[in-house]
Amino acid sequence: MLLLAIDTSTSAIAVALHDGTRTLAEHTTLDARRHTEHVAPGITAVLAEAGRRPEDVEAVAVGVGPGPFTGLRVGMVTATVFAHARGIPVHGVCSLDALAHEAVRTGAVAGEFVVATDARRKEVYWARYAAVPGTDGAPPRAARLTDPAVDHPATVGERLGGASVVGRGALLYPGDLDPSAGPLDVSAAALAEVALDELAEGRALPVEPLYLRRPDAVPSHPRKPALPAARDGRAGG
């Protein structure tokens, strides 16, 4: 299966093409503010590098966060529109799971560890994981121990218990989240591998965003009704 993977949940706009066995091409751009401008060129780049066309893609996987509202939405909308136009399935993957998967796969962590990414507002998105042995000779895998959450770095730091921290959160808040290890941002190749593993085990992967809080941009006050309210159902005299 030729799988297109996209993640825009962090400052990295990550795109990869995976054939079910290996990553054929991967493209990543670091830009915390211009996700919209980079995701489409990233798709074009991986298709060109792999010598494939959009019509060759058989499924799409997308990171569903947690992540800031605007950036996360760019990747999810792009993935959904691409899949709809092609008439192919689209699958959602927790972006923190992809970071945890890469950290375990590369041997950056052992035992329990925390993944923490930038949530802005001086907070981090995070979850706790454990590197556990694979079954039937398979390599170790990342098992999530807690649901994704958003907290102040100091709050997360109090719960580390000496666990390593994977993700850009450790870089941004070293006083609270040391020691750090592993990748800083989501790899689309790792996200593709998580999606393929989950699908092979028969798990459903709904495309449901993990915002965890309200978007940064909200109306400052409720809109006033365009028409005056009726008075007791009677015409005025």
Side-chain angles (χ1 to χ4, degrees), residues 19-139:
D19 68 358
T21 302
R22 63 186 180 92
T23 300
L24 302 179
E26 184 172 15
H27 185 274
T28 303
T29 302
L30 289 177
D31 192 331
R33 299 293 179 184
R34 298 194 300 165
H35 294 77
T36 303
E37 298 176 33
H38 294 297
V39 67
I43 295 172
T44 300
V46 296
L47 288 169
E49 182 179 338
R52 303 297 180 93
R53 301 172 300 171
E55 50 265 40
D56 296 328
V57 177
E58 298 171 273
V60 182
V62 62
V64 296
F69 181 84
T70 302
L72 182 59
R73 182 176 57 183
V74 169
M76 295 185 66
V77 169
T78 301
T80 301
V81 170
F82 186 100
H84 178 74
R86 292 278 304 111
I88 56 179
V90 56
H91 308 289
V93 174
C94 173
S95 302
L96 300 182
D97 289 358
L99 266 164
H101 171 81
E102 185 178 4
V104 171
R105 181 190 63 181
T106 58
V109 294
E112 292 192 15
F113 62 99
V114 164
V115 174
T117 61
D118 184 16
R120 302 177 187 172
R121 302 185 192 177
K122 297 182 179 180
E123 293 179 321
V124 293
Y125 296 117
W126 72 285
R128 196 174 190 92
Y129 293 81
V132 299
T135 57
D136 299 326

Side-chain angles (χ1 to χ4, degrees), residues 6 41 49 61 65 75 78 81 87 89 130 143 159 176 186-187 194 198 201 213 223 228 237:
I6 301 169
E49 182 179 338
T78 301
V81 170
R159 305 176 188 176
D176 296 310
V186 176
S187 156
V194 172
E198 295 286 296
E201 294 182 10
R213 67 184 183 201
R223 290 184 178 180

